[in-house]
Amino acid sequence: MKTDDASHKRMSERRKAGFEKKRAEATLEKGLLIVHTGTGKGKSSAAFGMGLRVVGHGLRLGVVQFIKGALHTAERDLLGSLPNCDFLTMGEGYTWNTQDRAADIATAQKAWAEAQRMIESGDYRMVILDELNIVLKYEYLDLNEVLEVIARRPPMVHVVITGRHAPEALIEAADLVTEMRLVKHPYREQGVKAQQGVEF
Amino acid sequence: MKTDDASHKRMSERRKAGFEKKRAEATLEKGLLIVHTGTGKGKSSAAFGMGLRVVGHGLRLGVVQFIKGALHTAERDLLGSLPNCDFLTMGEGYTWNTQDRAADIATAQKAWAEAQRMIESGDYRMVILDELNIVLKYEYLDLNEVLEVIARRPPMVHVVITGRHAPEALIEAADLVTEMRLVKHPYREQGVKAQQGVEF
């Protein structure tokens, strides 16, 4: 179906008016609780893109990686080298490698202590808790305690939480939730192996 | 529900075995056609995260932005400053601003000429066509021509296409498709305005 110039112009004008009305109505500024979940790719990279913007605006960014390896080396090195960014990698690898639940819990609690300190300090415009969802799913941390710390944070702190299997109560509490949904994957369907850039 | 240590360990071992079996079966290396679509956030940032990894491996990255502004300034500046990355911003703004269909088509065709040159050269391990989906949706380019150029590309070139409303035929042709699904948005539901880092 071909759209002609006149109808295209009318549609564009309507769209622009709607966009500007919505923007005029939105006046509130507040720290947001943002969740990236789902089984698709890009949850950490998208959080990282926001973090980069925060730093680009001269604001302070905190990152706690609850599981090592969710962000890839090139991205981690870059974030870690930015001014105004405190980047902590606390996770010692996924549990199906370490196979030691008690050690995993201790690691998660150490990471959470750092996250809590960052969130409560008010020194950061954004705190990214990378792969926290996985840690919550395995019950390495108390979900209610995590939600309480987030709920009583200083008002302008954005908290971004990534990972598959975000708990329902976290989604309830969140302001902005994006699900990265896997539609098609070559690894599974075609026997394509993990490749540089795409997977690591 | 609490998982005890023994059952946790059994589950971990099963999972590890499954993962390794799948990895052993996946032996094919090839350039992938990757699509990030959906109305949620993070489509461009997630593509950019992959691009960063490609450059991190010492491989060459090409980026053509079909619509200016989809990647934010901090991210664009960073990508543009990387060695081994050719970054072209071709779009002159969303159509609901320019309101000129003929000009939009000319811009899209100019951008596509650059994209085609990058893809066909074989000089790039990855070519990101940022917001190409939008341009295809508005029929500024011929979808079949785009698909043909992608189909006959050199074998190890990954092509990553972002934007809402990926056409069905593109999803059919793709190897890896992720839908960023908007679950909850504060802008719409709470009257929260666009904020630094989160939205721009």
Side-chain angles (χ1 to χ4, degrees), chain A residues 29 39 99 116 142 149 175 177:
Chain A
E29 271 197 320
T39 54
Q99 309 212 351
Q116 185 171 356
D142 185 85
V149 168
D175 299 294
V177 180

Side-chain angles (χ1 to χ4, degrees), chain B residues 1 14 17 33 38 50 56 62 66 72 110 112 132 136 145 169 174 180:
Chain B
M1 207 180 62
R14 264 207 311 279
L33 175 56
M50 282 197 280
F66 280 81
H72 299 266
K110 222 169 112 184
W112 173 246
L132 176 61
L136 291 172
E145 195 200 311
M180 277 61 174

Side-chain angles (χ1 to χ4, degrees), chain A residues 1-5 8-9 11-13 15-16 19-20 22-32 34 36 40-43 45-57 59 72-75 78 82 95-97 99-102 104-105 125-126 137-140 156 158 170-200, chain B residues 1-5 8-9 11-13 15-16 19-20 22-32 34 36 40-43 45-57 59 72-75 78 82 95-97 99-102 104-105 125-126 137-140 156 158 170-200:
Chain A
M1 206 180 64
K2 210 73 191 166
T3 316
D4 70 26
D5 283 7
H8 174 80
K9 196 170 173 193
M11 196 167 66
S12 297
E13 280 165 352
R15 199 168 280 192
K16 192 175 176 186
F19 179 75
E20 283 175 356
K22 225 161 53 180
R23 190 164 58 185
E25 286 165 358
T27 53
L28 185 63
E29 271 197 320
K30 66 169 206 172
L32 300 175
I34 298 169
H36 293 176
K41 293 166 73 76
K43 297 180 287 293
S45 292
F48 155 78
M50 282 196 280
L52 197 61
R53 266 128 61 184
V54 164
V55 173
H57 287 297
L59 303 166
H72 298 264
T73 318
E75 295 170 281
L78 177 82
L82 292 173
T95 58
W96 50 88
N97 289 325
Q99 309 212 351
D100 183 340
R101 181 169 166 84
D104 285 353
I105 288 175
R125 176 56 61 94
M126 182 177 281
K137 182 184 159 61
Y138 280 88
E139 298 179 353
Y140 293 166
M156 274 312 297
H158 302 301
L170 177 63
I171 289 175
E172 276 300 309
D175 299 294
L176 174 59
V177 180
T178 305
E179 181 197 352
M180 276 64 172
R181 199 167 72 83
L182 179 73
V183 177
K184 227 177 177 183
H185 198 308
Y187 189 80
R188 199 172 287 173
E189 291 159 20
Q190 303 177 26
V192 173
K193 73 180 201 182
Q195 294 180 93
Q196 287 185 334
V198 179
E199 298 283 350
F200 60 92
Chain B
M1 207 180 62
K2 209 73 190 165
T3 317
D4 71 23
D5 284 6
H8 174 80
K9 196 170 172 193
M11 196 168 67
S12 297
E13 281 166 352
R15 199 168 282 192
K16 192 176 176 183
F19 179 74
E20 283 175 356
K22 222 156 60 173
R23 191 164 54 187
E25 286 165 0
T27 52
L28 185 63
E29 271 197 320
K30 66 170 205 171
L32 301 174
I34 298 170
H36 293 174
K41 291 165 74 76
K43 298 180 287 292
S45 293
F48 156 76
M50 282 197 280
L52 197 60
R53 267 128 61 188
V54 164
V55 174
H57 287 296
L59 303 166
H72 299 266
T73 316
E75 295 168 283
L78 177 81
L82 292 173
T95 58
W96 51 88
N97 289 325
Q99 309 211 352
D100 184 339
R101 183 170 163 84
D104 286 353
I105 289 175
R125 176 56 61 94
M126 181 177 282
K137 181 183 159 59
Y138 280 88
E139 300 179 352
Y140 293 166
M156 273 313 298
H158 303 302
L170 177 62
I171 289 176
E172 277 299 310
D175 299 293
L176 174 59
V177 180
T178 305
E179 181 197 350
M180 277 61 174
R181 200 168 71 83
L182 180 74
V183 178
K184 227 179 178 182
H185 198 307
Y187 190 82
R188 198 171 290 175
E189 290 160 20
Q190 304 175 28
V192 172
K193 73 180 201 182
Q195 295 179 92
Q196 288 184 333
V198 179
E199 298 283 351
F200 60 93

Side-chain angles (χ1 to χ4, degrees), chain B residues 131-144:
Chain B
E131 298 288 352
L132 176 61
N133 286 337
I134 305 293
V135 166
L136 291 172
K137 181 183 159 59
Y138 280 88
E139 300 179 352
Y140 293 166
L141 295 174
D142 185 83
L143 177 59
N144 289 329

